[in-house]
Amino acid sequence: MDDAARRLAEARAWRDRDLAVLWHPCTQMKEHPDTLPLVPIRRGRGAWLEGVDGRRYLDAVSSWWTNLFGHGEPRIAAAIAAQAGELEHVIFAGFSHEPGLKLAEALLAAAPRQPDRPPLARVFYADNGSAAIEVALKMSFHAHRNAGDTRRSRFIALTNGYHGETIGALSLADIPLYRRVYAPLLLEPLFAPSPDAYEAEPGESAEACAHRRADELAAIFAAHPGEISALVVEPLVQCAGGMRMHHPAYLRRARELCDAHGVHLIADEIAVGFGRTGTLFACEQAGIAPDFLCLSKGLTGGFLPMSAVLTTAAVYEAFLDDSRERAFLHSHSYTGNPLGCAAALASLGIFAEDDVLAGNARRAARMAELAAPLRDHPNVAEVRQTGMILAIELVADRPTRAPFAASRRAGLRAYRHAIERGVVLRPLGDILYWMPPYCVGEEELQHLADVTTTAIAAACAD
């Protein structure tokens, strides 16, 4: 048996073992192994993943939007290794350590600022993005309660939004695929119409659409005086909702409305933070600072699960009291894990060392050039982009934007075509998107564009 045959046999054996014991996320497992072939991965380097069978795959989605600088980034790997030799973990209740302290200081120094507002001043660590949202929701509600404002028990979220899979976070989702089955278990938020520019009226600009939707948000605030604890938004891009994008004017109006009504603003930058939108944090493009900033995914450069919630001194001080009931007793066993903190510190250091944001601006411009020809495709309703996030909306009929029949599974067709040609192009329904690591080069971007073009043709062919 030659080497290639041996690797193929090993990959087949791996798939069989996997499907005998594992349950994969966000997957209808019945589709394995035929409709959605499983891809066993041995290693990752840069923008590429290497399969057990020896094939290479361009990671165009940054492994669910987590990987910033490429797989195996040596500076982050070295930081984790060095920290593992000193302290791998310690309880964070009553104890502290240097990586946790230094990371908090670095995050607060880098956080969005607003001239007329006190800065974000405290950091609470958790394990993942959903947990960060849970922390922010509980902190907001509890802070109001500690201040004597016991009526504020409701939250506003945006239609088409997504904030995670735990019960509180999922309650804020307006995507039926994720929410519908669990609806009896969920909180009942107020849903404000998304400022999604794709839904703009004929002739309406993205900015005008944002203002119109902000007016509708204002009406919700007015109809529920004193009831709302916080407004939760994904700044600039609703990622899981199809990479739908909105003008920063909406965030400015949302900040003003929250201030006027005594409501906290929770910015979910779990997916859009750390340079994805062109600035370190998306809120910067609106010139606003939230009351809570939720971070995860790229926080550790994609190496380890970790999240952080940044909040204000006012929120923190609302919990200071001799009563234990007024304390914030939320906890996770791995809160402030030193390995995660070390990875995050190394990741933040790379932004300055490599002038990442300037490099991303050049990459984003090249992505726009490469995607431009797709705008004229008869089955592409829109190509939209915010920084290093680019989305391509596939439809059955361009003039009416009528979607493909669900049974066609156009997005899955595109995915299968791309994976066979060495590109991970995991769709959101029938929306294809590019969110590559920041190390992606010219040849890799050209390969991504070429494969995307043929994948669209394969998905839309009769």
Side-chain angles (χ1 to χ4, degrees):
M1 181 183 294
D2 63 23
D3 188 54
R6 180 190 57 76
R7 288 183 299 188
L8 286 173
E10 183 180 356
R12 284 194 296 269
W14 188 311
R15 292 188 187 96
D16 291 341
R17 289 173 57 200
D18 179 294
L19 295 176
V21 296
L22 284 175
W23 192 340
H24 290 269
C26 204
T27 300
Q28 172 48 265
M29 291 299 293
K30 191 175 182 180
E31 294 184 332
H32 288 320
D34 299 321
T35 304
L36 189 64
L38 190 67
V39 184
I41 296 298
R42 184 188 302 280
R43 69 197 298 263
R45 286 296 181 271
W48 294 88
L49 299 165
E50 182 182 317
V52 171
D53 61 3
R55 297 186 62 192
R56 298 174 73 229
Y57 304 90
L58 179 63
D59 189 356
V61 300
S62 294
S63 290
W64 253 343
W65 324 335
T66 62
N67 191 284
L68 297 187
F69 308 112
H71 297 280
E73 213 299 325
R75 289 165 287 186
I76 301 177
I80 294 171
Q83 183 59 47
E86 296 295 324
L87 176 66
E88 80 297 339
H89 188 62
V90 64
I91 181 175
F92 212 55
F95 292 82
S96 185
H97 50 72
E98 185 179 29
L101 174 58
K102 291 177 69 175
L103 177 58
E105 292 172 338
L107 289 173
L108 293 173
R113 292 179 180 268
Q114 189 172 335
D116 56 341
R117 299 186 62 81
L120 295 169
R122 295 282 170 169
V123 177
F124 190 97
Y125 294 125
D127 295 357
N128 55 64
S130 297
I133 295 295
E134 299 283 347
V135 166
L137 296 179
K138 290 173 67 177
M139 274 187 181
S140 174
F141 166 78
H142 201 165
H144 285 303
R145 191 175 186 83
N146 282 352
D149 203 347
T150 58
R151 293 181 59 232
R152 293 188 182 274
S153 60
R154 303 202 69 180
F155 297 93
I156 301 177
L158 301 187
T159 57
N160 197 50
Y162 175 87
H163 302 278
E165 295 290 351
T166 51
I167 294 297
L170 186 60
S171 296
L172 305 176
D174 183 51
I175 301 174
L177 179 64
Y178 303 116
R179 180 186 177 88
R180 185 167 45 232
V181 171
Y182 305 105
L185 306 178
L186 305 180
L187 305 174
E188 296 184 2
L190 300 162
F191 284 109
S194 170
D196 174 13
Y198 186 75
E199 300 296 336
E201 295 177 350
E204 184 180 45
S205 68
E207 184 172 7
C209 178
H211 281 291
R212 176 168 57 84
R213 292 308 196 188
D215 291 341
E216 294 174 279
L217 175 64
I220 294 174
F221 275 110
H224 298 273
E227 299 177 24
I228 299 164
S229 181
L231 166 67
V232 187
V233 298
E234 300 165 88
L236 300 186
V237 185
Q238 292 182 297
C239 291
M243 300 298 171
R244 295 293 181 85
M245 302 173 184
H246 58 262
H247 193 278
Y250 185 83
L251 301 177
R252 290 190 285 271
R253 291 282 306 279
R255 177 72 275 178
E256 293 167 0
L257 287 166
C258 286
D259 287 342
H261 291 272
V263 171
H264 294 138
L265 177 61
I266 299 174
D268 176 354
E269 294 222 19
I270 291 163
V272 299
F274 299 106
R276 288 291 181 193
T277 67
T279 47
L280 189 62
F281 298 110
C283 284
E284 296 174 42
Q285 296 183 43
I288 62 116
D291 300 289
F292 296 89
L293 180 65
C294 296
L295 305 172
S296 190
K297 291 193 182 290
L299 174 62
T300 65
F303 272 68
L304 291 168
M306 187 179 186
S307 64
V309 179
L310 281 59
T311 192
T312 63
V315 169
Y316 172 77
E317 290 165 4
F319 291 85
L320 300 181
D321 191 80
D322 292 332
S323 167
R324 191 162 172 79
E325 288 186 1
R326 293 173 64 89
F328 190 63
L329 301 182
H330 186 105
S331 62
H332 296 266
S333 299
Y334 283 93
T335 293
N337 175 256
L339 302 178
C341 292
L345 280 166
S347 180
L348 285 173
I350 291 172
F351 276 95
E353 186 176 336
D354 292 358
D355 197 7
V356 170
L357 295 180
N360 281 0
R362 294 189 292 271
R363 293 182 191 93
R366 183 57 179 149
M367 287 165 62
E369 292 173 355
L370 291 168
L374 297 174
R375 296 179 184 276
D376 297 325
H377 192 284
N379 294 108
V380 173
E382 184 179 60
V383 175
R384 50 184 175 268
Q385 183 177 8
T386 299
M388 289 288 289
I389 306 173
L390 187 146
I392 303 151
E393 185 109 13
L394 301 184
V395 292
D397 182 70
R398 179 188 176 101
T400 64
R401 293 183 170 179
F404 284 108
S407 59
R408 183 185 185 87
R409 305 200 67 179
L412 177 61
R413 290 188 184 192
Y415 169 80
R416 292 192 58 161
H417 177 94
I419 205 77
E420 290 168 0
R421 287 154 184 80
V423 173
V424 182
L425 198 64
R426 185 181 174 93
L428 293 159
D430 290 343
I431 298 164
L432 309 181
Y433 66 91
W434 302 345
M435 198 191 287
Y438 303 159
C439 63
V440 68
E442 168 62 26
E443 290 185 8
E444 293 159 335
L445 286 175
Q446 184 66 63
H447 180 54
L448 173 58
D450 292 344
V451 171
T452 301
T453 300
T454 57
I456 291 172
C460 301
D462 293 332

